[in-house]
Amino acid sequence: MKVHDWRVFSQSDKFGAFWVLILCALAAIAAWRIGGVVRVAAQAKTKVNPNDGLTYVWIPPGTFQMGCSPDDAECQNFEKPAHSVKITKGFWIGQTQVTQAAYQKVVGANPSNFRGDRLPVEEVSWDDAQGYCKGLQMRLPTEAEYEYAARGGNPAARYAPLVGIAWYGANSGETTHEVGQKQANGYGLYDTLGNVWEWVADWSGAYDAAAAVDPQGPPIPPNGTLRVLRGGSWDLVASVVRVSYRGWIGPQARGSNIGFRCAGN
């Protein structure tokens, strides 16, 4: 009887050990995947700008496919045609969207609807955003620079499942959220999708299929006076919150879903 009891225990223990090993293996894989994201971000070259207190990340030069991502069935015509873009010079870009604390520090005012030091500043026009960046001896990123940085080296429409990387209509609770709370992309940037739309430097215009080098957008606005917005925001459906999606609006516009981040060489 004792032998029988021991055998039952031994078989059960072996069975349990098998599943422990399986769970450990799965945990190791998960840790490796998460660790990979952390390592990429940790390896990024960063600096803190003393004028606004924000962290900026160095984006190396490179070539990427701008516009509709491969196998993205949700693309609109204004995201096409996808085309090769070469960024010849590395640049700094905000690790996060400009916060209300940073804006208050530089400008001396906070126009935002939703209030909180670590929330992104909003209710800012294109001129407001560009003025802030110039005050730091920086500028707004071009549309090409923004998409290149936002992709983080990933050609897909989103660099990870949307719920883990962005605040949008399904999870925002109809408000902005503190910057840097979601998973960073491969360059260590946060909120390149969702939370608030981000002004970029370009006037809006149709894409050309030809390869481009350091594109600056149309020199003269072809469809009036509309500036480009990128990244999507807290109030949008998932189909819009994709890295190639483009918005545009008059540069004087302000809204509780419009913010920005600065760039510089």
Side-chain angles (χ1 to χ4, degrees), residues 87-176:
I87 304 294
T88 63
K89 297 179 181 179
F91 58 96
W92 296 97
I93 193 167
Q95 187 178 54
T96 66
Q97 295 158 343
V98 173
T99 64
Q100 293 177 29
Y103 196 86
Q104 178 75 45
K105 182 177 181 180
V106 174
V107 178
N110 181 5
S112 304
N113 176 57
F114 304 110
R115 291 302 180 107
D117 284 351
R118 292 287 297 167
L119 295 179
V121 69
E122 17 91 1
E123 296 284 359
V124 287
S125 69
W126 187 92
D127 287 327
D128 293 334
Q130 183 74 327
Y132 173 97
C133 294
K134 283 185 175 181
L136 303 178
Q137 296 185 325
M138 301 186 81
R139 56 179 172 77
L140 289 173
T142 66
E143 186 175 15
E145 286 174 334
Y146 187 89
E147 184 172 326
Y148 177 58
R151 286 184 177 278
N154 191 322
R158 305 175 182 96
Y159 60 85
L162 188 59
V163 68
I165 63 175
W167 298 108
Y168 65 111
N171 67 357
S172 70
E174 300 185 347
T175 185
T176 59

Side-chain angles (χ1 to χ4, degrees), residues 212-226:
V213 177
D214 298 326
Q216 304 295 307
I220 299 174
N223 56 353
T225 54
L226 303 181

Side-chain angles (χ1 to χ4, degrees), residues 16-248:
F18 170 78
W19 284 108
V20 168
L21 288 172
I22 293 296
L23 290 173
C24 287
L26 291 173
I29 291 170
W32 174 80
R33 294 182 65 184
I34 294 170
V37 173
V38 172
R39 283 194 296 274
V40 169
Q43 292 170 359
K45 181 180 177 182
T46 63
K47 68 176 182 180
V48 175
N49 189 318
N51 295 314
D52 66 359
L54 296 180
T55 298
Y56 290 80
V57 177
W58 178 253
I59 308 298
T63 301
F64 75 108
Q65 283 294 114
M66 185 173 181
C68 187
S69 305
D71 302 319
D72 185 355
E74 295 179 310
C75 285
Q76 304 295 315
N77 287 336
F78 51 78
E79 300 171 61
K80 303 174 183 178
H83 53 288
S84 176
V85 169
K86 184 176 183 179
I87 304 294
T88 63
K89 297 179 181 179
F91 58 96
W92 296 97
I93 193 167
Q95 187 178 54
T96 66
Q97 295 158 343
V98 173
T99 64
Q100 293 177 29
Y103 196 86
Q104 178 75 45
K105 182 177 181 180
V106 174
V107 178
N110 181 5
S112 304
N113 176 57
F114 304 110
R115 291 302 180 107
D117 284 351
R118 292 287 297 167
L119 295 179
V121 69
E122 17 91 1
E123 296 284 359
V124 287
S125 69
W126 187 92
D127 287 327
D128 293 334
Q130 183 74 327
Y132 173 97
C133 294
K134 283 185 175 181
L136 303 178
Q137 296 185 325
M138 301 186 81
R139 56 179 172 77
L140 289 173
T142 66
E143 186 175 15
E145 286 174 334
Y146 187 89
E147 184 172 326
Y148 177 58
R151 286 184 177 278
N154 191 322
R158 305 175 182 96
Y159 60 85
L162 188 59
V163 68
I165 63 175
W167 298 108
Y168 65 111
N171 67 357
S172 70
E174 300 185 347
T175 185
T176 59
H177 290 261
E178 291 190 0
V179 300
Q181 299 301 301
K182 294 291 188 176
Q183 179 185 327
N185 72 6
Y187 287 142
L189 303 180
Y190 295 92
D191 303 310
T192 57
L193 290 177
N195 220 5
V196 289
W197 283 105
E198 299 186 36
W199 289 113
V200 297
D202 302 34
W203 295 107
S204 65
Y207 284 155
D208 191 306
V213 177
D214 298 326
Q216 304 295 307
I220 299 174
N223 56 353
T225 54
L226 303 181
R227 293 284 189 180
V228 176
L229 294 163
R230 283 306 206 105
S233 59
W234 57 266
D235 56 342
L236 296 176
V237 296
S239 61
V240 175
V241 189
R242 294 176 293 105
V243 73
S244 64
Y245 195 88
R246 314 169 73 197
W248 52 83

